[in-house]
Amino acid sequence: MKLFYKDGFDVPLIEDCAARIICKQISEPHNEQTYDLFIGQVVAAYADDRIFDGGHWKFESVPDELKMLHYVAGGQYYLDGKAINTKRNPIVE
């Protein structure tokens, strides 16, 4: 795994990721101590141009090696793939 830094940030980022976010921690001692829950404010976000364009992921058109791998359970994983469009035409009365 290779790390790099973006100008203006002292946070290591991982190369070859589909997307990256840089957050500033917002101190919430009760949540941190009670639940191991940390809250962050996103200060920068980046996405790989090979799979993200015009504000949309292109999962259905990229090769498998660029798709995101999702762990489900019991050693089962899934790759992003088929797109399903749920946009509907407006109802006209």
Side-chain angles (χ1 to χ4, degrees), residues 11-71:
V11 180
L13 301 171
I14 300 171
E15 284 189 11
D16 296 324
C17 286
R20 301 169 194 92
I21 60 172
I22 298 174
C23 298
K24 177 179 93 175
Q25 183 179 346
I26 297 172
S27 181
E28 292 284 350
H30 173 73
N31 288 340
E32 294 164 12
Q33 294 169 7
T34 305
Y35 306 109
D36 290 332
L37 173 67
F38 294 86
I39 299 172
Q41 174 186 4
V42 175
V43 295
Y46 309 93
D48 189 323
D49 293 340
R50 296 173 297 173
I51 60 174
F52 189 81
D53 185 38
H56 298 281
W57 293 105
K58 304 184 294 186
F59 295 126
E60 67 277 3
S61 63
V62 298
D64 284 350
E65 61 268 14
L66 294 178
K67 293 179 181 176
M68 290 186 212
L69 183 67
H70 301 275
Y71 178 72

Side-chain angles (χ1 to χ4, degrees), residues 1-4 10 19 25 29 35 42 46-47 55 59 76 79-80:
M1 170 176 41
K2 293 183 181 180
L3 301 176
F4 72 99
D10 62 352
Q25 183 179 346
Y35 306 109
V42 175
Y46 309 93
F59 295 126
Q76 184 74 31
L79 288 177
D80 291 316

